[in-house]
Amino acid sequence: MSLRGDVCLVTGACGFLGKRLVMLLLEEENMAEIRMLDKHVEPQFLKTLEDCRGDTKLSVFEGDIRDSDFVRRACRGASVIFHIASIIDIKEPVEYNEMYGVNVRGTQVLLESCIQESVTSFIYTSTLEVMGPNSKGEPIINGSEDTIYDCTLRFSYSKTKKEAEQRTLQANGEVLQNGGRLATCALRPTYIFGDGCRFLLYHMGKGIENKDVLLRMSLPEAHVNPVYVGNVAVAHLQAARSLKDPQIRNAVGGKFYFISDDTPPVSYSDFNHVLLASLGFSIQKKLPLPLCLLYVVCFFLEILCRMLQPFIRIVPPLNRQLVTLLNTQFTFSYQKAKKELGYNPRYSWEEARKRTIEWLASQLPLERERIRANR
């Protein structure tokens, strides 16, 4: 099922995933219009789209996703929404009210606008972290959508993303202003990597500061399965096609899907090394402290920060939940998305790795210069 002639809105269009999705839509679908919603849409990004836009109209909507009038204007006349925008925060420097406002309230504003403006399809970009891991660090190996896992979410990020996902799926089947029905689904990508990934750039910078030795914060056996950004964009396109297809729309609507690919399972820290080893980086052999001691240090840091909170807000560089996240085996299959959405990873691990390393190589001199200038 093609999206030819459709009007779509992409929130977070200038983010890591948003840019890839906009490019993919221009390359593969002769859409009537693509609306790019973000707090700021970079002129340079718009220039890169000129050669591949064809007859598709590109519209820019700069503003706050919590502004209902603004969002409603952006949704007017659209047929599909790709909702990618959110605040991503695992160290928790962002105030909870701000994160809740963007991640939950912003999603609710979009859903309400869809109903008011009779938008028929809504794809929500969720995250693996709505699943866990739990505070015990209980592993999941090759999990599926049917996996039962006991977890009380502790990160503000994962809690707000979970609530936003639930609201999205609960909105499936809502009656639209024109009498139609809204169809929704949620995608839960594993750790997204690729050319343009700011997390990889961050770890490269830390490695440069440490004399080209990458910091180890994950046990080697704590395997996760990263997913290439290009494949996540493909999954979003397939979800939109599925929600448009009247034969499978009802079967897909109201469901969530894990999105991974054929990237070999590896720990977070070792994955950084896999991508940076050819650029001259080595990696620490051991954690900076034994895992149990690392938890104790984080516990006392958290207590200290709470005691100081009435006077000053200090964010510890590490917390127990982050240590758990980095050291829990947590892998998931994409087979249900393959079966029901028709999702197949387009980029092999070899190609994804090559593209990512080439981008990191292009950024390495800039990072070295930036760090040199800041010393």
Side-chain angles (χ1 to χ4, degrees), residues 196-314:
C197 177
R198 62 187 176 95
F199 293 113
L200 289 174
L201 210 57
Y202 169 82
H203 291 297
M204 183 168 72
K206 288 297 181 182
I208 293 171
E209 292 174 356
N210 197 39
K211 299 180 180 178
D212 290 356
V213 180
L214 299 172
L215 306 178
R216 175 174 290 283
M217 296 305 300
S218 306
L219 295 169
E221 61 269 23
H223 286 180
V224 293
N225 50 336
V227 59
Y228 182 61
V229 63
N231 290 328
V232 180
V234 168
H236 280 70
L237 176 55
Q238 284 302 122
R241 288 169 172 169
S242 298
L243 290 181
K244 186 178 179 181
D245 189 335
Q247 295 185 340
I248 60 175
R249 177 181 172 91
N250 291 336
V252 171
K255 293 183 179 179
F256 67 86
Y257 296 90
F258 290 112
I259 305 299
S260 57
D261 57 20
D262 299 317
T263 302
V266 65
S267 78
Y268 284 108
S269 293
D270 289 300
F271 186 66
N272 294 333
H273 187 226
V274 165
L275 295 174
L276 288 164
S278 63
L279 302 182
F281 288 83
S282 60
I283 187 171
Q284 295 172 341
K285 291 183 179 180
K286 297 180 180 180
L287 295 174
L289 294 170
L291 191 56
C292 58
L293 189 53
L294 205 52
Y295 279 115
V296 172
V297 170
C298 287
F299 172 74
F300 283 110
L301 276 175
E302 291 168 28
I303 293 294
L304 178 61
C305 290
R306 279 200 202 98
M307 291 173 61
L308 294 173
Q309 197 166 11
F311 312 102
I312 185 172
R313 187 169 187 267
I314 299 175

Side-chain angles (χ1 to χ4, degrees), residues 83 103-113 167:
H83 180 29
N103 292 359
V104 180
R105 179 58 188 157
T107 301
Q108 186 63 39
V109 167
L110 267 169
L111 291 167
E112 291 169 358
S113 297
R167 293 190 183 205

Side-chain angles (χ1 to χ4, degrees), residues 166-182:
Q166 290 171 337
R167 293 190 183 205
T168 296
L169 300 183
Q170 289 166 359
N172 183 66
E174 288 282 344
V175 179
L176 304 175
Q177 193 70 31
N178 65 1
R181 297 274 180 175
L182 176 64

Side-chain angles (χ1 to χ4, degrees), residues 89-90 92 96 99 129-137 151-160 162 302 306 319-322 324:
D89 175 25
I90 55 175
E92 310 219 297
Y96 182 78
M99 185 173 294
E129 289 178 43
V130 302
M131 191 74 177
N134 60 27
S135 59
K136 298 177 183 177
C151 180
T152 300
L153 299 174
R154 299 185 183 277
F155 276 140
S156 298
Y157 172 64
S158 54
K159 286 191 288 188
T160 56
K162 178 69 173 180
E302 291 168 28
R306 279 200 202 98
N319 57 60
R320 286 172 293 166
Q321 186 61 24
L322 182 54
T324 301

Side-chain angles (χ1 to χ4, degrees), residues 16-262:
F16 177 41
L17 173 59
K19 287 180 178 178
R20 292 303 288 259
L21 179 58
V22 170
M23 290 290 293
L24 180 65
L25 292 171
L26 287 173
E27 291 166 359
E28 301 231 345
E29 301 286 344
N30 188 16
M31 305 190 78
E33 183 182 2
I34 297 175
R35 299 173 180 174
M36 296 178 288
L37 187 155
D38 216 317
K39 291 181 69 175
H40 174 65
V41 177
E42 306 157 3
Q44 187 61 37
F45 176 49
L46 291 174
K47 287 182 181 179
T48 65
L49 302 177
E50 286 300 323
D51 293 338
C52 60
R53 66 184 294 177
D55 297 326
T56 302
K57 179 182 178 182
L58 291 174
S59 302
V60 172
F61 287 81
E62 291 185 332
D64 193 326
I65 200 171
R66 294 165 290 188
D67 182 338
S68 56
D69 290 337
F70 163 72
V71 170
R72 187 167 178 177
R73 288 196 304 273
C75 290
R76 190 163 297 148
S79 52
V80 57
I81 308 294
F82 296 97
H83 180 29
I84 301 173
S86 70
I87 295 178
I88 301 174
D89 175 25
I90 55 175
K91 290 188 177 180
E92 310 219 297
V94 180
E95 292 283 358
Y96 182 78
N97 288 342
E98 175 74 9
M99 185 173 294
Y100 187 89
V102 172
N103 292 359
V104 180
R105 179 58 188 157
T107 301
Q108 186 63 39
V109 167
L110 267 169
L111 291 167
E112 291 169 358
S113 297
C114 285
I115 293 169
Q116 294 162 350
E117 298 299 332
S118 299
V119 180
T120 55
S121 300
F122 187 98
I123 295 96
Y124 176 68
T125 308
S126 187
T127 171
L128 180 65
E129 289 178 43
V130 302
M131 191 74 177
N134 60 27
S135 59
K136 298 177 183 177
E138 294 175 326
I140 294 179
I141 302 170
N142 204 34
S144 73
E145 289 75 0
D146 297 323
T147 299
I148 298 173
Y149 187 72
D150 182 26
C151 180
T152 300
L153 299 174
R154 299 185 183 277
F155 276 140
S156 298
Y157 172 64
S158 54
K159 286 191 288 188
T160 56
K161 291 292 284 186
K162 178 69 173 180
E163 183 173 342
E165 179 189 280
Q166 290 171 337
R167 293 190 183 205
T168 296
L169 300 183
Q170 289 166 359
N172 183 66
E174 288 282 344
V175 179
L176 304 175
Q177 193 70 31
N178 65 1
R181 297 274 180 175
L182 176 64
T184 69
C185 74
L187 306 183
R188 294 179 177 179
T190 55
Y191 169 61
I192 306 175
F193 76 95
D195 26 318
C197 177
R198 62 187 176 95
F199 293 113
L200 289 174
L201 210 57
Y202 169 82
H203 291 297
M204 183 168 72
K206 288 297 181 182
I208 293 171
E209 292 174 356
N210 197 39
K211 299 180 180 178
D212 290 356
V213 180
L214 299 172
L215 306 178
R216 175 174 290 283
M217 296 305 300
S218 306
L219 295 169
E221 61 269 23
H223 286 180
V224 293
N225 50 336
V227 59
Y228 182 61
V229 63
N231 290 328
V232 180
V234 168
H236 280 70
L237 176 55
Q238 284 302 122
R241 288 169 172 169
S242 298
L243 290 181
K244 186 178 179 181
D245 189 335
Q247 295 185 340
I248 60 175
R249 177 181 172 91
N250 291 336
V252 171
K255 293 183 179 179
F256 67 86
Y257 296 90
F258 290 112
I259 305 299
S260 57
D261 57 20
D262 299 317

